[in-house]
Amino acid sequence: MNSDFDSYRLSDEHEALREAVRDLAEKEIAPHAAEVDEQGRFPSEARDALVKAGFHAIIVPEEYGGEGADELAGCIVMEEVARVCASSSLIPGVNGLGLTPILLSASDELKKQVLPSIASGESMISYALSEREAGSDAAAMKTRARRDGDEWVLDGTKCWISNAGESDWYTVMAVTDPEKKANGISAFVVHSGDPGFEVGPKERKLGIHGSPTREIYFQGCRIPSDRIIGKEGTGFKTALATLDHTRPTIGAQAVGIAQGALDTAIAYVKERSQFGKKIAEFQGLQFMLADMAMKVEAARQLVYVAASRAERGEKNLGFISSAAKCLASDTAMSVTTDAVQLLGGAGYTRDFPVERMMRDAKITQIYEGTNQVQRMVMARSLLK
Ligand code: COS
């Protein structure tokens, strides 16, 4: 055995990052989480604190004004923010999703146009793939982009766009050649100030109330020709390659939500007495806690492995990134549900955060691909 063997653990830098984000999250984000959920308002305190600390888009490379952190660091930020407020974790999460197509496939000129304003915190960026009739079947999209001289002209509607209205930039997938199906889709960057761009009303949702979700509309929306990401016809591949990198961050968000619920449940059972003793002394509840913690730790490890493999630029990330997102989000749903159960009647009220965490957990099984799509991706990889 090589004596230089760096044992299987996070680096000191990653551990220090976790400590810093946890501290910030507990002091500056957690105190507003219940109100943000209740009022359905954007968590501006979280945005300001994350921007000040440089955690809002940590993966932007240094040459474009960013922190140049790796994808595992991005997951740690997501996890620790989501542990106290899932809505706030979508600030780094959605930025990461919106900017990854640019990191993967855009020209250096386009990166220079877009990334510095995201790195500085002046702007946020959203990702626009889905449409009402093209959700899991993303390649069935209808939004069109036509070349007109020095411009592209976009027409269509995208839906379920996280942080729409708050973001200035949008990565948008649109059909440039309908004959070629998936290979006739291209990716673009649109700015909210571009003529013909508009956002719709906020969706009324079960959870993540602090992160607005809206439709976005393109009506003869004109953008300069250099805002195409990569070559014409490569947009769908860029969109799927992006999800290979970002699904682990949804896994990290799910792990964070689950950890937040588990921590709340542990504190509660140590305080609450019934039948003349603390309910933590009942073996039935101890076994529930053990199962919850076991699943959270398993999900966390899979998420970190997936993020590390994505960071190394390994090929065939589909299986591992879908597995990480799927396991972690199923874990978040079951662990938050059990946390509500452990708090009993109290857990069902808004006096405790676990009902919010249970509602917020649900979306992690749906967005960035339903868990049925994740299983499709995993099975295709196994059988090909
Ligand atoms: N990276 C890069 N390219 C990929 C890829 C990946 N991970 N997976 C597939 N491709 C390529 C394929 O090779 C194919 O190109 P060629 O025809 O040149 O070989 C093209 O992309 C189309 O692939 P495929 O035929 O597999 O696409 P499908 O239409 O069958 O769709 C699924 C595949 C279902 C996996 C995809 O549509 C998907 O992930 N849907 C869910 C979308 C989603 O997550 N939505 C959430 C919105 S983001 S919040």
Side-chain angles (χ1 to χ4, degrees):
M1 187 74 71
N2 182 348
S3 59
D4 292 338
F5 177 67
D6 188 12
S7 58
Y8 176 73
R9 62 183 168 91
L10 291 188
S11 69
D12 292 345
E13 288 80 12
H14 287 121
E15 291 294 1
L17 174 69
R18 177 195 300 290
E19 228 174 273
V21 183
R22 181 168 292 203
D23 189 57
L24 177 146
E26 284 184 348
K27 288 195 184 119
E28 302 191 54
I29 299 177
H32 308 285
E35 185 197 293
V36 159
D37 173 63
E38 189 89 29
Q39 297 180 355
R41 68 167 178 85
F42 185 74
S44 45
E45 301 88 351
R47 181 195 48 210
D48 295 348
L50 290 165
V51 168
K52 200 166 159 217
F55 296 152
H56 60 292
I58 199 168
I59 60 168
V60 176
E62 286 171 4
E63 57 191 300
Y64 304 105
E67 302 288 324
D70 58 30
E71 296 184 35
L72 180 51
C75 283
I76 291 170
V77 171
M78 277 299 270
E79 180 185 340
E80 290 301 327
V81 177
R83 183 174 157 273
V84 302
C85 179
S87 289
S88 297
S89 72
L90 284 166
I91 293 168
V94 174
N95 271 339
L97 177 61
L99 66 84
T100 296
I102 299 173
L103 290 183
L104 290 177
S105 309
S107 67
D108 192 45
E109 288 70 35
L110 187 52
K111 288 179 182 167
K112 280 186 187 139
Q113 268 192 61
V114 179
L115 297 179
S117 67
I118 298 165
S120 71
E122 180 192 329
S123 296
M124 298 201 302
I125 183 163
S126 294
Y127 178 88
L129 174 67
S130 302
E131 299 181 3
R132 287 277 163 201
E133 304 305 326
S136 294
D137 185 6
M141 69 180 65
K142 295 276 185 289
T143 295
R144 282 295 309 264
R146 293 184 189 79
R147 186 73 189 247
D148 182 20
D150 278 349
E151 293 176 321
W152 289 99
V153 184
L154 277 69
D155 282 283
T157 300
K158 293 285 173 181
C159 76
W160 315 125
I161 309 308
S162 298
N163 287 352
E166 293 292 336
S167 289
D168 289 332
W169 294 108
Y170 296 81
T171 300
V172 180
M173 271 50 76
V175 177
T176 43
D177 185 347
E179 302 292 311
K180 294 189 182 157
K181 304 254 165 64
N183 289 315
I185 290 170
S186 304
F188 302 89
V189 187
V190 176
H191 190 270
S192 57
D194 290 327
F197 174 87
E198 258 181 68
V199 300
K202 280 204 279 186
E203 302 288 349
R204 297 170 310 141
K205 299 172 299 186
L206 176 69
I208 52 165
H209 288 163
S211 171
T213 308
R214 304 173 193 263
E215 286 189 333
I216 58 175
Y217 311 118
F218 306 94
Q219 287 168 315
C221 176
R222 289 184 171 267
I223 60 170
S225 58
D226 64 0
R227 294 251 213 91
I228 189 165
I229 299 176
K231 291 208 173 75
E232 208 178 317
T234 60
F236 195 66
K237 286 191 172 79
T238 296
L240 294 189
T242 294
L243 295 171
D244 284 344
H245 285 265
T246 58
R247 282 174 178 157
T249 65
I250 298 303
Q253 181 186 43
V255 167
I257 297 170
Q259 187 67 53
L262 176 61
D263 291 347
T264 306
I266 289 172
Y268 187 84
V269 298
K270 293 204 292 200
E271 289 299 320
R272 168 87 170 158
S273 294
Q274 287 291 277
F275 303 100
K277 57 182 177 185
K278 300 292 184 206
I279 62 172
E281 292 175 44
F282 289 99
Q283 197 180 46
L285 303 197
Q286 291 175 356
F287 282 11
M288 277 177 78
L289 288 169
D291 280 342
M292 290 157 78
M294 174 176 69
K295 288 193 270 188
V296 174
E297 191 55 29
R300 176 179 290 119
Q301 296 304 320
L302 194 57
V303 165
Y304 291 175
V305 168
S308 303
R309 285 177 57 177
E311 174 66 31
R312 287 198 294 270
E314 286 187 19
K315 296 217 176 329
N316 303 321
L317 291 168
F319 176 83
I320 194 76
S321 70
S322 283
K325 188 271 193 193
C326 187
L327 179 75
S329 57
D330 284 350
T331 295
M333 201 62 243
S334 84
V335 166
T336 54
T337 304
D338 282 349
V340 170
Q341 190 69 21
L342 284 166
L343 270 74
Y348 201 67
T349 71
R350 294 192 186 176
D351 298 335
F352 290 85
V354 287
E355 64 81 34
R356 164 169 55 87
M357 291 163 171
M358 181 177 162
R359 286 184 286 106
D360 288 348
K362 185 63 207 172
I363 191 61
T364 65
Q365 294 181 305
I366 298 172
Y367 62 14
E368 290 205 25
T370 62
N371 281 4
Q372 286 66 36
V373 162
Q374 311 306 326
R375 289 178 168 94
M376 260 171 71
V377 172
M378 286 187 268
R380 282 186 186 184
S381 157
L382 294 173
L383 297 170
K384 79 171 183 236

